């Protein structure tokens, strides 16, 4: 039995469903496109408003990463929406039954006939003849009316219209913006499409620079970075870009890189479009922003902290002039070695004509080393050494106004020697010279006592904020110093005198020669006489002495055969070994002498002795007063002891207390006065002893001393005087000290007082003997003085007799007419 045939669908219905399917897909495409266009417009305006708002609030462009992310997200959103709104919907399969249901829902007059027919057509269920006939009739009825169905009524046009109008409004607004405000559209394109850093066209443009020290040098940032010296002040200069609007105020914002500190301040106005601010003692790196009007730098300026160039050490490798003897000689080679001196502080002293290399060691590589004084300038640029640039490496001389008058370039060999390979050690050869001194040395002539100023610049362009200062003081070789004195001689001498001169000669670097120089009467040129003991091996200190026993040099007058009344001037001459600026010659103190007779010299000495005797008589008188005062104190001590004994026995008297107090005060005062007076007398006695020694030596050195005179002075005066000075006075001083100690301790001083009196009595006896001998010696000298006066009187009478005889002879000649 054959299966019944399926219900056939007329072509009209198939065409109807196909038209409906096409209209649905066109609707989906139009609606999706409108939505995508609206979404794109909305994304544009969101990006535009966000960018505008962010700039107005911060004056910054949106970060590149933000804009790039926004573009990426936007594109991703559009792609997703494209698939959602269009692609996926278009790819959805539209079955006939679903389409039939859509038509029947919109057109109720179909009365489910179309859906039923399509359902039976697609089903495999068998149908009886009646049912089949009814369905075929229904299908035909539907087919006849399908051409008149308005398929556009199937769609709800409101979503499409909303999407269309939204897309239209957004698109038109964007077109209007593009026409009316092309710079804004271009700015958006640069920011979101080209992803540029600086895409806002600001009214104001600011450039940050640095005012570097020294010299207020304007330095620019390199790649938004500036390297600044550790601990130095940072002075920022903000300038308005040419052609841009100048702001009324500029705000500086900075943040330390360590994140701990920061600040915000308004910069000081320097003038039109220029602003300045100083941050003191910068120790850490920082980030900097400046804001003015509509400008803020989008990327921060970076301050990187580096060490300021400086010199860790300055050393001088010195070779002193040979005559100074300061050079150290290698015992094996015999070659002098340089003396290495490290500069401490800002000054160092060297002998003039010293050759030295100034070795300067920097803390980091240096690109420019500059040394200046008032008269010269040296500039070294190690980086230019390879090219041997004459403008970068030179030695220049300056005039008094500081202008360069002469300049010489260093040779490659000189540069290689002066600039170290690491550009941290510089060796500059100098010769220390005095003012206007010429030198044949290979070193650069450096005048003494001229302050040096050293400037350093490193590879970061940093200079020392203050020049490194150094003064090399010149030790000018001075003439020898002569310190002499006469001993045992006076200004009046006999023709056979021997003049002792003692003392010493000193020189910084050594004495070449020394001698006596003398003049007689009105001589203009010195005559010389050598020392008996001459300087050997250029000593720095030379003592005048003939031998170990005679610690003086002696000048003999007798060989000069001088006459009474002539004048003699004597001095010591010395010369150093300076063979560069010398030798330096000098005379010591000049001593003037007059030649006198033996009698005149003895008369002069007589006057000295007379004065000494008067002084010693005064000492004798004061010692006697001290002894007498101590005797009075003995009586007071005994009186006080007696009163004390009576008080112990119970006896009383109102006057005793006053007497005890008076005695105690007098004894204490006497102890101090006696001790002080004794010490003063001891000092004066020592002076008298020394004066008598001088008289004795003067007698001997002038050749007028006899054994009798010397014997009496030595045995009768000097010997007892020396004993008084060295023995008697110390013994008395000791006892008087015990006397005062007893007073302080409130003990009985009677024993010390009595012992002091006994010692003073013994000393007075010895002093009286000396006075008697002085008197005898003076009487002897008085006799000599009388003899001298008689001789002088005899000379005067002789002269008067000669004059009288001459006058008588002239009178006789007149009487004879022979005049």
């Amino acid at each position: 039995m054959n299966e019944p045939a399926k219900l056939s669908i007329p072509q009209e219905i198939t065409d109807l469903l196909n038209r409906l399917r096409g209209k649905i897909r066109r609707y989906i495409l139009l609606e999706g496109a409108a939505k995508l266009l609206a979404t794109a417009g909305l994304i544009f305006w969101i990006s535009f408003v966000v960018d505008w708002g962010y700039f107005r609030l911060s004056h910054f462009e949106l970060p590149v990463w933000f804009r790039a992310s926004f573009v990426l997200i936007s594109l991703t959103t559009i792609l997703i929406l494209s698939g959602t709104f269009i692609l996926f919907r278009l790819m959805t399969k539209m079955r006939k039954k679903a389409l039939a249901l859509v038509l029947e829902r919109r057109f109720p007059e179909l009365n489910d006939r179309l859906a039923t027919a399509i359902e039976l057509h697609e089903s495999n269920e068998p149908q009886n003849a009646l049912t089949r006939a009814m369905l075929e009739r229904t299908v035909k009825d539907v087919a006849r009316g399908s051409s008149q169905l308005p398929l556009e009524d199937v769609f709800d046009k409101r979503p499409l219209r909303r999407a269309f109008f939204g897309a239209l409004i957004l698109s038109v607004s964007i077109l209007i913006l593009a026409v009316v405000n092309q710079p804004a559209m271009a700015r958006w394109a640069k920011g979101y499409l080209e992803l540029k850093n600086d895409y806002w066209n600001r009214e104001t443009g600011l450039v940050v620079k640095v005012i570097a020290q020294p010299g207020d040098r304007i330095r620019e940032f390199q790649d938004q970075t500036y390297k600044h010296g550790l601990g130095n002040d940072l002075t920022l200069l903000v300038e308005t870009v040419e052609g841009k609007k100048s702001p009324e105020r500029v705000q500086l914002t900075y943040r330390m890189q360590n994140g701990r500190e920061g600040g915000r301040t308004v910069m000081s106005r320097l003038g039109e479009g220029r602003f300045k601010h100083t941050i003191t003692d910068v120790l850490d790196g920082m980030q900097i922003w400046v804001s003015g009007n509509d400008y803020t730098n989008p990327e921060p300026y970076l301050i990187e902290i580096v060490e300021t160039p400086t010199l860790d050490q300055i050393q001088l490798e010195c070779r002193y002039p040979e005559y100074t003897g300061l050079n150290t000689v290698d015992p094996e080679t015999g070659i002098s070695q340089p003396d290495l001196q490290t500069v401490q502080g800002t000054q160092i002293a060297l002998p003039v004509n010293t050759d030295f290399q100034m070795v300067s060691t920097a803390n980091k590589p240096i690109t420019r080393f500059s040394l200046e004084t008032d008269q010269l300038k040296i500039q070294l640029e190690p980086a230019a050494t390879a090219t041997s640039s004459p403008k970068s490496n030179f030695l220049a001389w300056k005039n008094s106004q500081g202008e360069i008058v002469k300049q010489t370039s260093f040779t490659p060999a000189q540069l290689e020697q002066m600039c170290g390979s690491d550009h941290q050690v510089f060796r500059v050869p100098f010769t220390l010279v005095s003012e206007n001194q010429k030198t044949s040395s290979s070193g650069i002539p450096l005048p003494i006592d001229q302050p040096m100023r050293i400037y350093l610049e490193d590879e970061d362009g940093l200079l020392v904020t203050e020049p490194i200062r150094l003064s090399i003081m010149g030790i000018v070789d001075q003439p020898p110093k002569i310190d002499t004195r006469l001993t045992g001689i006076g200004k009046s001498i006999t023709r056979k005198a021997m003049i002792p001169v003692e003392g010493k000669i000193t020189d910084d670097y050594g004495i070449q020669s020394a001698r006596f120089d003398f003049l007689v009467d009105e001589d203009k040129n010195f005559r010389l006489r050598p020392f008996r003991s001459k300087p050997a091996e250029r000593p720095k200190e030379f003592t005048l002495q003939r031998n170990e026993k005679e610690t003086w040099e002696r000048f003999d007058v007798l060989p000069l055969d001088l006459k009474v009344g002539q004048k003699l001037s004597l001095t010591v001459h010395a010369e150093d070994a300076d063979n560069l600026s010398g030798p330096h010659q000098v005379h010591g103190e000049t001593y003037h002498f007059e030649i006198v007779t033996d009698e005149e010299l003895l008369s002069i000495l007589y006057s000295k002795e007379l004065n000494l005797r008067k002084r010693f008589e005064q000492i004798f008188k004061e010692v006697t007063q001290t002894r007498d005062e101590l005797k009075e104190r003995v009586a007071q001590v005994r009186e006080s002891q007696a009163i004390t004994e009576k008080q112990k026995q119970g006896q009383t008297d109102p006057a005793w207390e006053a007497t005890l107090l008076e005695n105690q005060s007098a004894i204490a005062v006497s102890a101090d006065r006696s001790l002080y007076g004794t010490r003063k007398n001891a000092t004066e006695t020592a002076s008298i002893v020394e004066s008598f020694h001088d008289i004795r030596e003067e007698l001997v050195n002038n050749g007028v001393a006899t054994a009798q005179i010397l014997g009496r002075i030595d045995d009768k005066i000097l010997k007892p005087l020396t004993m008084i000075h060295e023995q008697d006075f110390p013994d008395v001083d000791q006892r008087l000290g015990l006397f005062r100690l007893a007073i302080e301790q409130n003990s009985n001083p009677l024993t010390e007082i009595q012992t002091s009196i006994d010692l003073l009595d013994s000393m007075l006896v010895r002093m009286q003997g000396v006075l008697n001998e002085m008197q005898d010696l003076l009487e002897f000298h008085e006799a000599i003085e009388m003899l001298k006066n008689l001789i002088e009187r005899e000379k005067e009478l002789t002269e008067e007799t000669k004059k009288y005889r001459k006058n008588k002879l002239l009178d006789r000649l007149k009487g004879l007419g022979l005049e």
Side-chain angles (χ1 to χ4, degrees), residues 103-165:
L103 289 173
E104 288 184 348
R105 186 181 304 159
R106 178 65 184 86
F107 303 108
E109 62 269 20
L110 293 177
N111 197 19
D112 295 335
R113 291 175 294 171
L114 181 59
T116 302
I118 291 175
E119 183 178 3
L120 291 175
H121 172 72
E122 292 178 352
S123 68
N124 294 323
E125 296 180 2
Q127 301 170 351
N128 54 35
L130 178 60
T131 303
R132 181 179 181 83
M134 292 175 64
L135 289 174
E136 286 179 354
R137 183 178 177 180
T138 300
V139 169
K140 289 179 181 180
D141 292 339
V142 172
R144 281 194 299 269
S146 63
S147 59
Q148 286 79 29
L149 290 175
L151 296 181
E152 283 75 8
D153 294 343
V154 173
F155 301 97
D156 185 2
K157 301 295 183 64
R158 290 175 298 177
L160 177 59
R161 285 195 296 269
R162 286 196 297 269
F164 176 77
F165 284 116

Side-chain angles (χ1 to χ4, degrees), residues 267-299:
M267 303 183 72
S268 302
R269 190 182 186 95
L270 289 180
E272 184 63 29
R274 303 179 81 235
F275 303 86
K276 174 184 175 183
H277 182 73
T278 300
I279 304 174
T280 59
D281 301 332
V282 179
L283 300 176
D284 294 312
M286 63 176 64
Q287 297 176 327
I288 290 175
W289 293 267
V290 292
S291 301
N293 284 355
D294 61 349
Y295 178 86
T296 299
N297 51 296
E299 296 295 329

Side-chain angles (χ1 to χ4, degrees), residues 615-623 684-685 688 767:
R615 289 173 56 192
F616 195 65
E617 286 177 345
Q618 180 63 30
I619 295 172
F620 180 83
K621 179 179 179 181
E622 292 176 358
V623 172
E684 294 176 352
T685 301
I688 292 175
M767 294 176 73

